[in-house]
Amino acid sequence: MSQSSHLLSNDQLIEVFNLTHTATAVHVGETAIIQAANDAMLKIWGKDRSVIGKSLEEALPELKGQPFIDMFRKVWLEGLVISGKDTAADLEIDGKLQTFYFDFEYRAIKNDEGKTICILHTAIDVSERVLRKEAIERAQEKEEALQREQALNEELAATVEELAATNEELVATNEELQETQETLHVLNNELELRVIERFNQLSESEKRFKTMAEGTDIFIGVGDESGNAVYFNKSWTDLTGKSTEDLLNYGWADLIHPEDRDKYLSIYLKAFESKKAFKGELRIFDKNGGYRWLLASATPRFHTNGSFAGYISSCVDITERKLIELERLNLSKLIEASSEFIGLAELDLSIQYLNPAALTKLGWTSTTNRTILDCVFPEDRPIAERLLLGILKNRNFREEIRFWNEKTGKPFWIEWNGFTIKNQDTNEVIAIATVSPDITERKIYQEELQGINMEMAAANEELATTNEELAQTHEDLVQYTNKLADSEEKLRQAIETGKMGTWSINPNTLEITMSNFVKELLGLPLDKPAEMEAIMQSINPDYHDMVNNALKSALADHSSSDTEYPVNNLITGEEKWVKATGRVFVDQHGNATEYSGLFIDITERKLDELRKNDFIGMVSHELKTPLTAINGFVQVLQRKAKKDEDSYTIVALDKTHSQIRKMTTMINGFLNVSRLESGKLLIQKTDFNLDTLLKETIEETYISQSSHQIILNPTCGVTINADRDKIGNVISNLISNSLKYSDNGTNIEVSCTLHETMVEVQIRDEGIGIKPEDIDKLFERYYRVQGNHTISGFGIGLYLSAEIIERHNGKIWVESEEGKGSVFHFTLPLK
């Protein structure tokens, strides 16, 4: 009997598979189509074999909204393994939705090429274990309760004995009570009269409070013992533009500026827990779309029986004070950053303050026990004493004088501007200030200029002898020309030694001249002129358009070029990466005479970049595996928290889920950079409506943004052929940039314009704008605008957007004015 006769058939294997006690199923595809499922799995699902061949959502519609279908999709697309223990799942068994608990695993099964071919799904129903654990915990709680009850019974028995002794005392006390009852009846009548009088007083007090609160500019609010607002005065309605009813029903915490909300709520909740007074500064959203600074003070209220009744708060508008503080802070930063010599001294000449630039110039580490005269170079101190004596008599001065650096002993010149600081009320001089620029270079230049004038006089005398020397100079010039030719040859040799070559194109004849290094690199004959057809044959076809566009732009606009691309040696076939830089030279009439530059072998640097990108891609891909699992478990916990109505956990998990989304976006960005620069970022074009994509992207943005108004203007209604997901990423990235760099309450305007052969999309904001020197570099990889490091990001979003648009044969650019906002444009060709 052959060995193959012992092998089981497919039907026999399925029969054995069905007899396994572990619930097992096999799924294929993103929608988790059920390829096979044994009886144990069908029993868990409460289904028969009619579900074979259906997607998981079709077979078990109750799973919609639960995280398991998304987990299957992640496992299929990314080749993951996701597992869990004591995981809750809602399944419909016999027409009834019930909650079960499982230990499960979704494992991607891959072929030899590493591609996922199916998902092995195993599950163990541990509901009994979980419920038994909960039952044991409840039994323990019941046992502890019984023990406490037994202890109470023992105490009760002892108490009964005490009651017997006390009963005799009660008989005697009863007689006293009868006498006291008559007295209480009289007191009760008096008390009723006092209660009525007190009620009338409280009503009158409440009326006075509301009259006072409504007539003041102070923002007054009242909250009850549960923390709910029960009253806001008219100042609040004037500030927010909302009615009292809206304020009471509206979440008052949502009116607080997002940057102040967590800090103020922490102060409030901590004080609320201890029932103590508190203070805090915060910004409140006003009816004009801006924010006002308020100083809030809250005092706890108590009922007559001492129980907590809530808070009464009063807020004062301190916006003007905060703006002044901000101006002072900016002025202080300006002084600290200034390169001029800035100082402040007392009337006894002791130094009160010097800015960092002044301390550096003087070589000092501090101003302790220093006077203004210590700054002055010893030889110039008599002048300084005279000037300072005059300023004490209210005479400001401006004088060129030398200060000195104590560490080096060297003097430096400044234009010393001294002026007085006066008391605003008494006009009395209270301090001396100086703001003085360093004029050392100017003074040196003046001295040199004076020397030059003296030298000019001597030069006139020498001019007569110069003619005699001209003849000798002519001979020297001939020798110099010969040396220059020799130097040019040495320069050419240095260029070739540094893996560089030269090239030149005649703008009129398009004749090409190349050094031997370039010809050898491209595999061109050394003894023949270079031809454009052979050069283009050696350049990678994917880069032909880029090279041709650079040549056309240079010859038409006289612009410089700097391009990088791979070439293949026409003889050996070896691939190299090169960098070609070029510049157009023009004559006095502006006509191009030569287009030339360098040709540099950058293969080693490019290979290093590719290896770096492969490493970034590998790390980013590995990071997504645990991140996906974390996301799945967070979703499971969110469902459990919502079911348990645990509001604190719901908020914490929502924030966790938001941070996971941000981290996933960053990792996807690095992956896209890696794929882009390694040539693996594929463009899959389909026909789609651009209007629909714009609306969907804006709606997705509104899910996480509420501080700006995004306006979609009437659009052009066009269908284009492009990669829908990647164009959506470009639109989303440009809108996100506008949100990050714009103040809350401003507008983001999205519009679309149809041209003859292309469609143009514009995203306009009212943000901080972009400096002119940053605009040209904005779309470079990892480039971030200077001075905005408080805003998060890695500088890859605009770089990816530019590459995606370029690969669609489109164009992307920005127009901006500092302080007024920016407009990002991109175009896509029509079909």
Side-chain angles (χ1 to χ4, degrees), residues 684-742:
Q684 298 178 342
K685 295 185 178 181
T686 59
D687 291 342
F688 64 93
N689 185 274
L690 183 58
D691 285 5
T692 303
L693 180 60
L694 289 170
K695 292 176 183 176
E696 289 177 0
T697 306
I698 291 173
E699 289 173 358
E700 290 174 0
T701 303
Y702 267 123
I703 294 174
S704 58
Q705 297 288 341
S706 61
S707 57
H708 295 74
Q709 178 70 25
I710 304 179
I711 302 170
L712 177 60
N713 290 326
T715 53
C716 44
V718 65
T719 297
I720 61 174
N721 182 257
D723 190 319
R724 193 179 194 276
D725 290 338
K726 291 183 175 59
I727 298 301
N729 288 340
V730 172
I731 297 169
S732 177
N733 182 65
L734 295 180
I735 293 176
S736 297
N737 268 7
S738 295
L739 292 170
K740 284 197 296 184
Y741 291 96
S742 301

Side-chain angles (χ1 to χ4, degrees), residues 221-290:
V222 180
D224 62 17
E225 65 277 6
S226 302
N228 298 320
V230 296
Y231 172 74
F232 287 102
N233 71 341
K234 184 175 180 297
S235 295
W236 276 106
T237 61
D238 291 341
L239 173 68
T240 61
K242 299 181 181 295
S243 66
T244 301
E245 182 179 357
D246 288 341
L247 285 173
L248 294 176
N249 295 329
Y250 190 74
W252 60 269
D254 293 335
L255 292 171
I256 303 176
H257 193 287
E259 295 178 3
D260 303 336
R261 188 176 300 146
D262 291 343
K263 179 180 178 181
Y264 184 78
L265 289 179
S266 175
I267 295 173
Y268 167 72
L269 293 174
K270 185 176 181 180
F272 188 87
E273 184 178 352
S274 59
K275 311 297 185 293
K276 292 182 179 180
F278 67 90
K279 288 185 177 181
E281 294 182 357
L282 69 160
R283 284 168 285 181
I284 291 292
F285 190 72
D286 66 16
K287 62 184 178 183
N288 297 320

Side-chain angles (χ1 to χ4, degrees), residues 52-115:
I52 303 299
K54 296 182 179 180
S55 68
L56 191 60
E57 188 172 347
E58 291 174 338
L60 302 170
E62 64 269 22
L63 291 183
K64 186 175 182 181
Q66 300 185 49
F68 306 106
I69 294 175
D70 287 338
M71 288 184 187
F72 268 103
R73 184 176 293 107
K74 292 287 185 183
V75 172
W76 176 265
L77 292 176
E78 302 180 20
L80 308 175
V81 176
I82 294 180
S83 61
K85 291 185 177 295
D86 298 344
T87 302
D90 295 336
L91 297 174
E92 186 175 317
I93 306 298
D94 297 330
K96 181 180 179 182
L97 190 65
Q98 304 177 50
T99 300
F100 298 89
Y101 297 87
F102 299 97
D103 290 349
F104 73 93
E105 181 182 85
Y106 302 155
R107 179 178 293 275
I109 306 301
K110 304 178 181 179
N111 58 17
D112 294 338
E113 298 176 354
K115 181 179 180 181

Side-chain angles (χ1 to χ4, degrees), residues 566-633:
V567 297
N568 292 90
N569 190 287
L570 296 178
I571 299 175
T572 65
E574 181 182 10
E575 184 182 73
K576 295 276 189 178
W577 274 90
V578 299
K579 178 184 180 73
T581 62
R583 176 185 172 189
V584 176
F585 295 88
V586 297
D587 58 20
Q588 59 184 357
H589 303 294
N591 299 319
T593 59
E594 183 183 8
Y595 176 36
S596 61
L598 292 176
F599 205 80
I600 309 170
D601 184 352
I602 60 168
T603 304
E604 294 182 4
R605 179 181 66 107
K606 205 67 180 180
L607 291 177
D608 287 340
E609 289 182 2
L610 293 175
R611 284 191 288 268
K612 179 191 70 177
N613 289 332
D614 289 341
F615 174 76
I616 291 175
M618 178 186 67
V619 171
S620 300
H621 187 273
E622 292 300 319
L623 286 173
K624 291 185 71 176
T625 301
L627 197 61
T628 302
I630 292 171
N631 191 36
F633 287 124

Side-chain angles (χ1 to χ4, degrees), residues 193-374:
L193 293 175
R194 291 179 181 179
V195 168
I196 293 171
E197 181 180 357
R198 181 58 177 165
F199 176 78
N200 292 333
Q201 291 176 350
L202 288 174
S203 297
E204 184 64 27
S205 176
E206 183 178 356
K207 290 179 181 178
R208 287 197 301 271
F209 168 76
K210 287 188 175 181
T211 300
M212 177 195 69
E214 294 299 323
T216 181
D217 292 334
I218 298 175
F219 303 91
I220 297 176
V222 180
D224 62 17
E225 65 277 6
S226 302
N228 298 320
V230 296
Y231 172 74
F232 287 102
N233 71 341
K234 184 175 180 297
S235 295
W236 276 106
T237 61
D238 291 341
L239 173 68
T240 61
K242 299 181 181 295
S243 66
T244 301
E245 182 179 357
D246 288 341
L247 285 173
L248 294 176
N249 295 329
Y250 190 74
W252 60 269
D254 293 335
L255 292 171
I256 303 176
H257 193 287
E259 295 178 3
D260 303 336
R261 188 176 300 146
D262 291 343
K263 179 180 178 181
Y264 184 78
L265 289 179
S266 175
I267 295 173
Y268 167 72
L269 293 174
K270 185 176 181 180
F272 188 87
E273 184 178 352
S274 59
K275 311 297 185 293
K276 292 182 179 180
F278 67 90
K279 288 185 177 181
E281 294 182 357
L282 69 160
R283 284 168 285 181
I284 291 292
F285 190 72
D286 66 16
K287 62 184 178 183
N288 297 320
Y291 284 91
R292 302 292 296 179
W293 276 98
L294 301 182
L295 173 61
S297 301
T299 305
R301 299 184 301 118
F302 296 94
H303 295 296
T304 54
N305 59 2
S307 62
F308 180 63
Y311 278 99
I312 178 169
S313 67
S314 61
C315 301
V316 180
D317 191 323
I318 58 170
T319 304
E320 299 301 326
R321 191 196 78 189
K322 295 296 287 188
L323 291 177
I324 292 173
E325 290 178 359
L326 183 60
E327 289 178 359
R328 288 178 177 174
L329 178 62
N330 291 336
L331 179 59
S332 177
K333 290 181 179 178
L334 182 63
I335 292 173
E336 292 291 312
S338 175
S339 62
E340 295 193 350
F341 191 107
I342 301 176
L344 188 67
E346 301 285 357
L347 295 182
D348 62 359
L349 304 185
S350 61
I351 296 177
Q352 183 179 351
Y353 169 79
L354 286 178
N355 69 333
L359 290 171
T360 302
K361 291 177 186 293
L362 294 171
W364 293 1
T365 56
S366 73
T367 59
T368 305
N369 299 324
R370 297 280 192 173
T371 70
I372 197 70
L373 287 175
D374 293 333

